[in-house]
Amino acid sequence: MNIFSDMPSAAGIRKIESNYPIEPVLSVNAHFHTPYSFSAFNDIEEIFTLAERDQVDVLGINDFITTAGYEEFGALAVKHKRFPLFNIEFMGLIPEAQRNGVRINDPDNPGRIYFCGKGLVLHDRISKANRSKLDQVFGESLKQIREMTDKLNLHLSAGNAPIKIDYDFLQKNYTKGLVRERHLVKCLRIELKKHFPGETDLKKFLVSLYAGKQQQAPVSDISALDNELRSRLLKKGGPAFVEENPGAFLSLETMINIILDAGGIPCYPVLLDNDKGSFTEFENDYDKLCRYLKDRNIFSVELIPGRNDLKVLENFVKFFDEQEFLVTFGTEHNTPARPPLSITCRHETPLTAELNKINYGSACVIAAHQFLIAGGETGYLEKNGAPRLGKKEEFVRFGNAVIRHFIHH
């Protein structure tokens, strides 16, 4: 699949760069999940409908360990005249950090690291060895949720619950193949509400399901209820908890290798501050974090600003932008909650014009990289994975022309 095949060549784009001023910058959401992993959306086209409503012009699919949604996403991008960024997300483990109790970008699990690849496009070029590693992780994920389903059914049976979750039905009717914890919880919640349509009866049953502990989440709030069911039943200490197999985790080096193999740009997703102003041990020193990433040729970071305080976000982005990092923003949309696709900070605080400019400029670099790699040319990274520092603005201008030409033609 090359959705850029009808576009001018790279040389042709360079000739028309001046026809497309960068400002006013376009709106970008570079990180959200689709139903091919777990998503707030019922289908991919819904994303584009909401993007039109929210006036978001550049959209980044960012599913967990799968590229299965790329073809549909690309076709809909053409149909709806929105520029697509093709991304992926992995879950890995840094054993040393785990041994030392250092939290990275998972606030609850020391050593666990979420990691992204930006601008893949040629996902089908992944080597057989790396494809095998992805298949192994995919398989381990399915195995874990199947075991969780079995344990959940035992717990339901012990409590004389009138429901049972069929794993095959769950996979076929609630997923696009990849089954995650949130799929299992969604299925459970729907079955519970089907058998207990009245709030009083549902609340009473939840107390029983929680081994006598009082239910806290409003049962009318599906996002809060899902989170409570997941926390009480599937997480550590819960009756359906299943420890992840080490085979479900990739090393940081392996994740980077797979991303480069697929033609993408390695990207560290940043957690930053929580609502109490706290940071993980890995992220609380910007200088140290920057050196760690640079030492591994990681010059791209991404944030979900809805989690963060505006001033904290501004300081972080300014620091890494000055270090020539790409800095992009997204919304995730990997829970049942349905915030807008447009980006805001915590408490729906709008982004500043400068933050929007940095987000768009970074998206332009990724767009340029995608376009060039799809055409068989060298993108933003050298063959060894190092970024072409000093040429960022050149890629911003080129990528801006690619994006705007795609949208308008």
Side-chain angles (χ1 to χ4, degrees):
M1 180 188 66
N2 181 3
I3 61 170
F4 306 127
S5 58
D6 292 334
M7 294 267 288
S9 65
I13 290 290
R14 291 189 179 96
K15 287 179 181 178
I16 60 174
E17 270 186 24
S18 59
N19 295 345
Y20 297 107
I22 291 179
E23 295 190 1
V25 302
L26 300 180
S27 177
V28 178
N29 185 329
H31 183 132
F32 53 78
H33 294 260
T34 79
Y36 283 89
S37 50
F38 182 88
S39 175
F41 310 111
N42 296 313
D43 55 60
I44 291 186
E45 186 141 29
E46 186 179 1
I47 297 167
F48 288 90
T49 302
L50 293 176
E52 291 169 8
R53 183 199 70 182
D54 298 338
Q55 298 182 304
V56 180
D57 303 291
V58 182
L59 298 168
I61 185 172
N62 209 97
D63 284 325
F64 185 70
I65 61 172
T66 182
T67 59
Y70 279 19
E71 187 169 353
E72 182 182 356
F73 185 73
L76 287 168
V78 173
K79 175 183 174 181
H80 290 272
K81 298 185 182 300
R82 292 296 189 270
F83 190 87
L85 300 177
F86 297 93
N87 314 311
I88 192 168
E89 186 165 7
F90 302 100
M91 185 169 67
L93 192 68
I94 299 179
E96 183 181 5
Q98 185 182 46
R99 288 193 297 270
N100 294 329
V102 173
R103 295 168 303 151
I104 302 173
N105 53 7
D106 182 326
D108 302 314
N109 296 285
R112 187 175 298 179
I113 178 171
Y114 291 91
F115 200 75
C116 293
K118 314 302 290 185
L120 271 66
V121 179
L122 296 181
H123 54 286
D124 57 349
R125 83 176 199 175
I126 298 175
S127 69
K128 186 176 180 179
N130 279 331
R131 178 61 64 186
S132 176
K133 291 174 184 175
L134 282 177
D135 290 344
Q136 177 187 333
V137 171
F138 196 96
E140 288 294 343
S141 179
L142 296 183
K143 181 181 176 183
Q144 182 199 20
I145 305 304
R146 186 181 283 276
E147 291 176 5
M148 277 188 170
T149 305
D150 291 342
K151 292 187 73 171
L152 178 61
N153 282 329
L154 286 173
H155 182 65
L156 290 168
S157 177
N160 297 313
I163 60 175
K164 180 179 180 180
I165 306 299
D166 182 273
Y167 176 85
D168 293 328
F169 177 85
L170 165 67
Q171 187 175 39
K172 180 179 179 180
N173 293 277
Y174 286 85
T175 81
K176 295 282 190 177
L178 177 65
V179 190
R180 304 295 297 153
E181 284 181 11
R182 289 192 181 276
H183 291 119
L184 178 55
V185 163
K186 179 180 179 179
C187 183
L188 173 62
R189 183 242 306 157
I190 289 172
E191 290 298 314
L192 286 173
K193 289 205 167 189
K194 188 187 300 181
H195 285 84
F196 301 100
E199 286 197 6
T200 301
D201 288 340
L202 178 55
K203 288 179 179 179
K204 182 179 178 180
F205 180 75
L206 286 174
V207 173
S208 171
L209 193 63
Y210 297 157
K213 294 181 181 178
Q214 189 62 43
Q215 153 269 338
Q216 300 291 331
V219 295
S220 59
D221 184 337
I222 63 172
S223 183
L225 181 56
D226 278 16
N227 285 337
E228 183 173 88
L229 287 167
R230 187 171 176 230
S231 174
R232 298 277 186 96
L233 303 175
L234 306 186
K235 291 302 182 183
K236 195 167 187 176
F241 172 72
V242 175
E243 189 79 50
E244 287 153 320
N245 188 299
F249 298 99
L250 298 169
S251 69
L252 179 58
E253 293 73 19
T254 297
M255 292 187 288
I256 292 172
N257 181 262
I258 291 173
I259 291 163
L260 294 175
D261 189 20
I265 299 171
C267 174
Y268 174 71
V270 184
L271 198 60
L272 211 57
D273 63 310
N274 64 16
D275 55 6
K276 296 179 181 178
S278 300
F279 297 73
T280 66
E281 295 79 10
F282 189 74
E283 295 183 356
N284 62 8
D285 184 326
Y286 296 174
D287 283 303
K288 187 176 179 181
L289 173 62
C290 184
R291 287 195 303 273
Y292 184 93
L293 297 177
K294 281 184 174 182
D295 286 346
R296 290 155 182 79
N297 276 332
I298 302 167
F299 278 79
S300 175
V301 293
E302 189 158 73
L303 300 105
I304 309 300
R307 301 169 176 158
N308 308 126
D309 175 79
L310 176 60
K311 289 299 180 185
V312 173
L313 182 74
E314 282 186 295
N315 291 336
F316 180 90
V317 172
K318 180 181 178 182
F319 178 90
F320 278 86
D321 181 59
E322 290 174 351
Q323 297 293 321
E324 292 194 71
F325 276 69
L326 304 181
V327 185
T328 48
F329 306 141
T331 53
E332 280 207 307
H333 275 88
N334 66 339
T335 74
R338 294 287 297 274
L341 277 170
S342 50
I343 309 291
T344 57
C345 285
R346 187 182 297 143
H347 306 310
E348 300 180 10
T349 306
L351 298 183
T352 64
E354 184 62 21
L355 288 172
N356 281 320
K357 183 178 179 180
I358 289 170
N359 185 32
Y360 179 62
S362 299
C364 286
V365 175
I366 297 168
H369 178 84
Q370 282 187 170
F371 181 83
L372 291 167
I373 293 292
E377 301 192 36
T378 302
Y380 186 60
L381 304 183
E382 303 286 0
K383 288 184 178 180
N384 65 354
R388 299 170 74 179
L389 298 178
K391 293 194 174 185
K392 183 178 175 182
E393 288 308 311
E394 176 185 324
F395 274 80
V396 170
R397 291 191 299 271
F398 182 82
N400 171 65
V402 169
I403 290 171
R404 292 183 192 267
H405 189 87
F406 182 93
I407 290 173
H408 294 299
H409 297 283

